[in-house]
Amino acid sequence: MDKILIIEDDVEINTLLTDFLKENGYVVYSQYDGLHILDFLHKEKIDLIILDIMLPYRSGDIILADIRRQFTIPVLIISAKETTQNKIDLLRLGADDYITKPFDMEEVLARIESNLRRVQFENRSAACLQYGDLCLDLEKNTAFLKEAELALTAKEFAILELLMKYPDKVFSKSNLFQSVWNTEYFVEDNTLNVHISNLRNKLKAVCPDKEFIDTVWGIGYRLHKAKE
């Protein structure tokens, strides 16, 4: 379950939000002032923060700036200030969304769901490398080409991952070997060439008309770059 931290000094509003979000399946934590927020975030993994601006001891904009220096957690601002400039300033400071008081509970819920979906999508994108019909799932260490799973060895997967992470980079044989095998490369060692050849054959077996790995003669290898 997603965990939400509510930082709101108005006890009635804090309780209202807490009860409503718990009813909708969230784990909710409450803070009533601007103290020790970063300490709490370092101890507890929070998925989204609802932050009031007018808080005792430390204001919400200061807290927001502190959070952004260390965390990428989505922050939803709730504030009685309705000026456009105030919203702009807070969004530029790092807020992900802004709702003015009084607010509709269903709107708050919808904005929470929207921000959590965005984060989940970004996390999934970061865990997957895509090159045309070729997809590498970095969490499961699996590769798919045209939705067909490729039977890659660990070294073949590592080579492909490196090339796809840096599609514009030409890797020397030495650099590629050292990155994947984590050991010194010897010119007479044919290990890398054999792995590249096997990898190409497996890709060609699914897409015989497509190139995926280019040989840059005299240098090494790179992800295939279509001719312009």
Side-chain angles (χ1 to χ4, degrees):
M1 290 186 290
D2 290 315
K3 297 179 180 180
I4 296 177
L5 171 62
I6 300 172
I7 310 173
E8 165 63 70
D9 65 316
D10 187 307
V11 176
E12 184 177 349
I13 294 176
N14 200 318
T15 302
L16 186 66
L17 283 167
T18 297
D19 292 344
F20 179 75
L21 294 176
K22 284 182 177 179
E23 289 173 1
N24 282 274
Y26 293 99
V27 176
V28 183
Y29 300 90
S30 294
Q31 297 275 9
Y32 298 92
D33 57 50
L35 298 177
H36 312 302
I37 301 300
L38 294 183
D39 291 340
F40 180 83
L41 293 176
H42 281 294
K43 293 176 183 177
E44 190 69 44
K45 183 184 180 302
I46 297 297
D47 297 291
L48 183 139
I49 297 170
I50 296 176
L51 175 64
D52 184 28
I53 292 302
M54 305 300 291
L55 291 168
Y57 308 116
R58 300 185 83 238
S59 65
D61 54 344
I62 294 176
I63 294 170
L64 175 61
D66 288 343
I67 291 171
R68 279 295 165 259
R69 278 192 284 269
Q70 299 186 40
F71 299 94
T72 58
I73 306 167
V75 177
L76 171 60
I77 299 293
I78 52 173
S79 175
K81 295 182 178 180
E82 297 186 40
T83 66
T84 299
Q85 188 59 51
N86 190 62
K87 293 180 182 180
I88 292 172
D89 290 344
L90 288 165
L91 290 170
R92 284 177 173 168
L93 193 59
D96 295 272
D97 214 336
Y98 190 108
I99 293 180
T100 55
K101 299 177 182 178
F103 48 78
D104 180 81
M105 297 298 289
E106 291 295 336
E107 181 184 359
V108 173
L109 181 61
R111 289 178 183 265
I112 289 171
E113 292 170 345
S114 175
N115 279 280
L116 290 175
R117 279 197 305 271
R118 174 182 56 78
V119 171
Q120 289 165 2
F121 176 78
E122 290 173 352
N123 290 340
R124 283 198 300 270
S125 298
C128 181
L129 296 175
Q130 193 82 32
Y131 175 71
D133 295 324
L134 179 60
C135 178
L136 259 60
D137 188 324
L138 304 183
E139 289 186 348
K140 298 180 181 178
N141 286 330
T142 54
F144 294 87
L145 180 56
K146 284 192 171 180
E147 300 184 358
E149 185 171 357
L150 301 171
L152 302 183
T153 67
K155 291 292 188 285
E156 290 166 356
F157 187 93
I159 291 169
L160 202 53
E161 178 183 349
L162 198 59
L163 294 176
M164 291 176 68
K165 275 185 174 179
Y166 305 97
D168 297 321
K169 179 178 174 61
V170 177
F171 288 89
S172 68
K173 290 184 178 181
S174 175
N175 183 241
L176 195 55
F177 187 89
Q178 290 174 357
S179 297
V180 173
W181 275 266
N182 197 29
T183 188
E184 186 178 355
Y185 174 74
F186 297 97
V187 176
E188 64 273 14
D189 192 333
N190 200 39
T191 302
L192 177 60
N193 294 339
V194 171
H195 278 75
I196 292 287
S197 177
N198 291 339
L199 183 53
R200 279 173 166 158
N201 289 337
K202 291 177 181 180
L203 294 167
K204 284 285 188 182
V206 181
C207 290
D209 299 326
K210 287 188 177 182
E211 296 292 338
F212 293 91
I213 300 173
D214 287 339
T215 298
V216 182
W217 297 108
I219 302 177
Y221 302 98
R222 61 168 295 160
L223 198 67
H224 176 68
K225 186 174 184 180
K227 293 181 180 180
E228 297 178 355

